[in-house]
Amino acid sequence: TLYTITPTDSFNDLSHGESSSIILECYGSGIKVTDAPNGLYLVFDDEQPQTLENFHLAPFPPPEMMKRSEVDNVPVPTTEYRYQQNQKLSLLAVADQPALLPTAVEVIPAEGSFQVDGNLTIGYQTGLEKEARLLQERLQTLKQPAILTDDIQAASIKMTFGASDQNELERYQLRIDPQSIHIQGSAPSGVFYGIQSLIALWPLPETGRKLQCQTINDRPRFEYRGLHLDVARNFQKPEAIKKLLDIMSFYKLNKLHFHLTDDEGWRLEIKDIPELTEIGAVRGHTLDESDHLFPAYGSGPIPFGPDNHGTGFYSRQDFIDIIQYAADRHIEVIPEINFPGHARAAVKSMSARAQRIESQGSNEPNYLLHDPNDESQYSSVQGYTDNVICPCQESVYQFIEKVVAEIVDIYQQAGVKLSTIHTGGDEVPAGIWERSPLCAQLLRENPQIEGVGGLAAYFLMRYHQILEQQELTTAGWEEIAMHKVMRETSSGQPQEILVPNPQMVDQSLQPYVWNSNWGTHDDLAFKLANLGYKVVLCNANNLYFDFAYNKDPQEPGLYWSGFVDTRKPFELAPYDIVKTATDDIMGNPIDLELYEDHVKLSLTGRENILGIQGQLWSETVKGPEMLEYYLFPKLIGLAERAWAADPTWTQLPRRSQRTEGLEQAWNAFANTLAQRELPRLDLIWNGVNYRVPLPGAIIKDGKLMANVAFPGLEIRYTLDGSEPTRNSNLYREPITAKKPVRLKAFTNTGKASRTSVLSY
């Protein structure tokens, strides 16, 4: 949101050397660096805007004052607190860790090993050419040359099709013998995932040149294993998307939900509607948005400045390249075109288009998306009063038909099948369309719509029909499967609320359920699945990766539904999410008795859970390094829950047993991250800006005791106040020390955490 401060007539002019202090009071929490105003700039009269860079943030208050409300009991993680949390962990040998992440269904060890020295040959059946080339490229990054050959029998690595199984196209078998490696799948996707497992097992260059003989039989738990990426709030360039697709495919994720449009940006070129990207894809200083959008999320005043992450779009060719790149890695790209709310970039772009057409006397379609005479008053969650389209004029549906047709054409040109378009549909504010003359006319002519409250469903069905004509599935956030009803509150007052809509089940709508706050909406996904909707779980409590790792003021991110660290996606129990619920979003213990009357997932409902998806919204994400910091290593926990079988600890009858089983599983997972996964991210993808956890430490009886959340990372420390480096003292065991102590955790490739400080 853009806020402005403008001098009034009573403001006293400042002479040289004088200053004036302005206090800005904001409603809400201010506990993080990403809560602070940013993108500050000054404009004097008609001069060019001046970016303000010489400002600083005051220190945050002591931990006991960092409360979002009276009931906020989430601790700020001090160095001592981290030490206490990490005491549950222990260092494990490689033999006690999972052989693969995500965990395979079956691993059968065998005697002997396959020697990987020298040149290898890759033999493959017809239809596996792309997979063979990708394997060759991956091996090259591991310093292992390999030559492609059509002589499968003589090849070192054989890639073949097995018996066809239309129900399990992603199943594979990987067999490592002393003389050869054989990857077999019923479809190219299965062979591809066998390749990823082979790369995951491949010894890193400094760890030896042998592969243990074994047979792996594997298949995914869920058919939908996704990541949602918002590039509308802040843009990411094509190369960042391709790098992300590479890592997603390695961890066997198969859906990229691409959030291309929102209030603050339209990111896809649409032929014959240049205003969408000329205006809707550019943010900078402007008084009327006739040339581009206002700044937002600190994007700054310079429209094409190097630090303006609010400007950018994908050309048709960019998008073709991305979806082809994804398809080669067996990832489906699901574009989202968000309506009727969250549409401000499109609304403003088409308003400018209409003005241009009128001034030129052109006969082009104006695709106007709002009713110029609408006097309705509303405010969206983000504070916008002009971000909802008008569903009561045909130009809106002409626009959607045009955009959908262009997207279909892009996929056809790419030679990639398009199956689904996500329609958004979330966070439509109250008060919309109530004073729109066009809507009043539509309702008079169509009494079956049942008033203003029925217009959202009317719009959704029109959008749905356009997609049906293209033989596409209509997906959307959970609101597309909900409708408004009047219910009495506990005080007896009537209140309008959203509840599942059984009448829309037969329309083949695919809801993505995100609102999972403990004690209120946590069973919504199960209600919808039990009704018959095909549901994707997007639980904010566990799967919103834009949430900060913890309450540390220096950890960037949002937190409106709690904090999401690397463990949160790992501990999700998709079929019974309450099983791993411990604290609410304010850090208070959850009373499980309150959940006894909540809806449980039926056997039919279980079949309707398509899978799970992590979400990265980008309000606070600026550039590829921040993208990677938010996603990794959280994404690996998502992959584990999406692919691996339901872990045994979820089936244990008592909560204490489940807790113990979860702690053991997490310990093994955390060890694997430190000792194998993070070093591989650095090697194969030329460095990933993943988050390294800060060490914990205490001084007890004059002894420094330290630990870390991922056992196997090095802890380096200093006692003289200097910053620890990789050459600083290595912590191995308790030593005599006194405060202050500074500590950092390091991976074996040298990547470091931020500094932990034990101070007076």
Side-chain angles (χ1 to χ4, degrees):
T1 302
L2 176 69
Y3 294 90
T4 62
I5 300 174
T6 305
T8 65
D9 291 339
S10 61
F11 182 82
N12 293 322
D13 289 348
L14 298 178
S15 300
H16 182 72
E18 292 183 330
S19 65
S20 179
S21 181
I22 300 171
I23 297 174
L24 172 66
E25 294 186 359
C26 301
Y27 174 80
S29 303
I31 65 170
K32 288 192 165 291
V33 291
T34 43
D35 290 333
N38 59 101
L40 307 173
Y41 68 97
L42 286 173
V43 180
F44 292 97
D45 300 322
D46 294 327
E47 297 177 11
Q48 289 297 311
Q50 301 177 22
T51 301
L52 295 180
E53 298 176 346
N54 57 337
F55 66 92
H56 70 278
L57 299 181
F60 283 84
E64 61 270 17
M65 294 179 63
M66 293 276 291
K67 280 182 169 287
R68 294 165 286 168
S69 72
E70 291 292 327
V71 297
D72 183 4
N73 289 306
V74 175
V76 176
T78 62
T79 303
E80 293 87 347
Y81 174 81
R82 283 191 288 269
Y83 179 83
Q84 298 298 333
Q85 294 298 107
N86 295 340
Q87 280 194 296
K88 301 174 185 177
L89 298 158
S90 60
L91 184 65
L92 297 179
V94 173
D96 296 322
Q97 301 171 27
L100 288 171
L101 290 182
T103 305
V105 171
E106 182 181 42
V107 179
I108 306 171
E111 294 294 328
S113 60
F114 177 85
Q115 192 74 27
V116 300
D117 291 335
N119 288 336
L120 300 179
T121 53
I122 302 171
Y124 55 92
Q125 281 186 237
T126 301
L128 294 173
E129 294 83 2
K130 291 180 181 179
E131 287 71 26
R133 286 195 294 272
L134 285 170
L135 174 57
Q136 184 185 39
E137 292 171 8
R138 284 285 170 267
L139 289 175
Q140 187 63 45
T141 64
L142 291 165
K143 315 301 182 186
Q144 176 60 62
I147 300 171
L148 302 182
T149 177
D150 55 6
D151 187 352
I152 299 176
Q153 293 305 314
S156 312
I157 303 175
K158 312 174 195 298
M159 296 165 46
T160 63
F161 292 115
S164 178
D165 186 345
Q166 292 302 311
N167 295 320
E168 292 193 299
L169 296 178
E170 296 174 314
R171 176 196 287 267
Y172 71 89
Q173 181 184 80
L174 169 61
R175 190 175 71 249
I176 302 174
D177 297 324
Q179 287 77 37
S180 65
I181 297 170
H182 192 180
I183 304 171
Q184 189 175 74
S186 61
S189 57
V191 174
F192 179 81
Y193 293 128
I195 290 171
Q196 306 318 305
S197 292
L198 176 61
I199 295 300
L201 294 170
W202 205 270
L204 300 181
E206 69 277 8
T207 61
R209 308 303 295 166
K210 292 182 179 180
L211 273 171
Q212 177 63 41
C213 290
Q214 57 192 295
T215 298
I216 296 174
N217 296 304
D218 203 7
R219 63 184 181 278
R221 179 186 190 185
F222 290 115
E223 64 177 272
Y224 191 109
R225 307 179 301 280
L227 177 69
H228 161 277
L229 178 62
D230 166 19
V231 293
R233 269 59 176 271
N234 280 308
F235 184 67
Q236 295 288 341
K237 295 180 179 179
E239 50 267 32
I241 305 302
K242 291 178 180 179
K243 181 178 180 180
L244 177 59
L245 288 166
D246 271 329
I247 306 176
M248 284 175 61
S249 69
F250 176 74
Y251 287 109
K252 302 183 175 75
L253 299 179
N254 66 348
K255 310 287 182 183
L256 176 64
H257 173 181
F258 215 4
H259 189 92
L260 294 165
T261 74
D262 215 293
D263 295 320
E264 300 84 9
W266 180 286
R267 305 302 183 189
L268 180 61
E269 178 187 15
I270 299 297
K271 189 168 57 178
D272 301 326
I273 316 183
E275 291 85 359
L276 281 173
T277 47
E278 290 175 354
I279 295 172
V282 182
R283 296 207 300 258
H285 175 66
T286 174
L287 297 180
D288 58 8
E289 296 185 292
S290 61
D291 47 355
H292 52 256
L293 302 180
F294 289 136
Y297 303 119
S299 55
I302 311 303
F304 297 95
D307 297 322
N308 185 340
H309 298 286
T311 294
F313 69 92
Y314 305 109
S315 68
R316 279 177 59 95
Q317 190 58 52
D318 287 337
F319 202 66
I320 287 170
D321 292 344
I322 288 170
I323 59 180
Q324 287 177 335
Y325 198 87
D328 288 347
R329 288 148 183 80
H330 298 277
I331 294 176
E332 177 185 3
V333 177
I334 300 171
E336 179 179 346
I337 307 298
N338 198 345
F339 287 125
H342 285 289
R344 192 174 186 276
V347 169
K348 293 299 179 182
S349 298
M350 294 306 93
S351 177
R353 176 183 174 87
Q355 294 175 21
R356 174 184 64 79
I357 288 173
E358 182 178 1
S359 67
Q360 294 176 349
S362 171
N363 60 0
E364 301 171 75
N366 63 25
Y367 298 122
L368 197 65
L369 299 179
H370 74 291
D371 178 357
N373 298 312
D374 187 356
E375 297 180 353
S376 302
Q377 295 185 354
Y378 63 86
S379 179
S380 73
V381 174
Q382 287 77 20
Y384 291 116
T385 59
D386 53 0
N387 76 329
V388 182
I389 61 97
C390 175
C392 307
Q393 52 190 1
E394 286 305 305
S395 56
V396 166
Y397 304 104
Q398 293 168 2
F399 176 85
I400 294 174
E401 286 176 344
K402 169 66 174 175
V403 170
V404 169
E406 285 299 310
I407 292 174
V408 169
D409 184 64
I410 288 172
Y411 275 76
Q412 289 175 344
Q413 186 175 339
V416 175
K417 178 177 174 56
L418 173 66
S419 65
T420 304
I421 287 182
H422 197 286
T423 63
D426 62 318
E427 296 185 332
V428 180
I432 53 174
W433 310 320
E434 291 178 351
R435 299 173 66 181
S436 163
L438 290 175
C439 288
Q441 179 182 347
L442 179 72
L443 293 173
R444 285 194 301 270
E445 296 171 354
N446 298 273
Q448 73 276 11
I449 296 177
E450 299 182 352
V452 173
L455 286 174
Y458 167 77
F459 169 76
L460 174 61
M461 290 313 301
R462 292 288 303 268
Y463 198 164
H464 177 55
Q465 289 165 3
I466 292 170
L467 297 181
E468 273 193 320
Q469 292 171 359
Q470 298 282 3
E471 300 181 346
L472 298 174
T473 296
T474 301
W477 298 110
E478 63 199 42
E479 288 92 335
I480 69 168
M482 313 281 282
H483 66 156
K484 293 179 179 179
V485 298
M486 297 300 296
R487 295 279 174 86
E488 282 191 2
T489 64
S490 57
S491 62
Q493 297 297 316
Q495 182 183 24
E496 192 175 62
I497 62 172
L498 278 172
V499 298
N501 185 357
Q503 299 175 349
M504 299 293 284
V505 173
D506 294 336
Q507 299 300 324
S508 301
L509 303 180
Q510 186 171 297
Y512 288 52
V513 182
W514 58 273
N515 198 349
S516 58
N517 283 339
W518 299 124
T520 52
H521 305 286
D522 49 83
D523 58 354
L524 175 58
F526 299 162
K527 289 177 180 178
L528 293 172
N530 290 349
L531 278 174
Y533 287 101
K534 298 294 186 182
V535 171
V536 178
L537 300 178
C538 306
N539 307 43
N541 300 91
N542 296 82
L543 300 173
Y544 266 40
F545 294 167
D546 57 301
F547 287 177
Y549 282 87
N550 55 45
K551 205 178 182 183
D552 183 339
Q554 301 305 315
E555 280 291 345
L558 303 180
Y559 46 84
W560 54 262
S561 190
F563 300 93
V564 173
D565 58 11
T566 304
R567 178 165 165 161
K568 283 289 186 181
F570 175 84
E571 68 182 20
L572 175 69
Y575 292 142
D576 191 352
I577 62 173
V578 176
K579 279 187 174 178
T580 54
T582 55
D583 300 329
D584 64 19
I585 63 175
M586 289 296 175
N588 300 297
I590 290 174
D591 183 357
L592 292 182
E593 291 184 3
L594 298 177
Y595 292 87
E596 291 180 356
D597 61 344
H598 282 216
V599 171
K600 302 295 189 295
L601 195 60
S602 67
L603 291 177
T604 301
R606 181 179 285 237
E607 296 299 315
N608 288 328
I609 301 295
L610 295 178
I612 66 175
Q613 176 173 277
Q615 279 62 232
L616 184 62
W617 300 96
S618 68
E619 290 95 332
T620 61
V621 180
K622 300 175 182 178
E625 288 197 350
M626 287 192 74
L627 170 85
E628 293 170 6
Y629 185 89
Y630 277 94
L631 284 178
F632 298 102
K634 294 179 187 180
L635 180 138
I636 305 174
L638 165 69
E640 176 71 6
R641 278 302 144 257
W643 179 279
D646 196 12
T648 55
W649 54 262
T650 65
Q651 308 305 318
L652 297 174
R654 292 197 298 274
R655 186 176 183 85
S656 59
Q657 293 174 318
R658 293 196 298 271
T659 300
E660 182 180 353
L662 171 58
E663 292 296 343
Q664 292 175 357
W666 170 249
N667 188 46
F669 187 84
N671 271 266
T672 308
L673 290 178
Q675 298 176 45
R676 194 172 65 229
E677 299 307 315
L678 300 186
R680 184 183 292 107
L681 287 176
D682 280 328
L683 178 63
I684 298 182
W685 290 282
N686 197 29
V688 174
N689 190 42
Y690 51 79
R691 179 183 183 271
V692 180
L694 283 68
I698 61 170
I699 291 181
K700 184 177 181 181
D701 299 328
K703 296 284 189 179
L704 172 67
M705 306 172 72
N707 57 23
V708 69
F710 298 164
L713 297 178
E714 293 181 347
I715 300 174
R716 303 276 177 171
Y717 66 93
T718 62
L719 304 176
D720 60 1
S722 62
E723 279 296 298
T725 69
R726 205 177 179 192
N727 296 320
S728 299
N729 296 315
L730 174 64
Y731 178 83
R732 292 189 175 92
E733 59 187 11
I735 63 161
T736 300
K738 60 182 180 180
K739 299 178 181 179
V741 180
R742 304 176 75 85
L743 310 96
K744 281 186 178 182
F746 288 85
T747 67
N748 63 13
T749 54
K751 186 169 175 55
S753 69
R754 290 190 293 110
T755 304
S756 277
V757 181
L758 270 174
S759 58
Y760 295 110

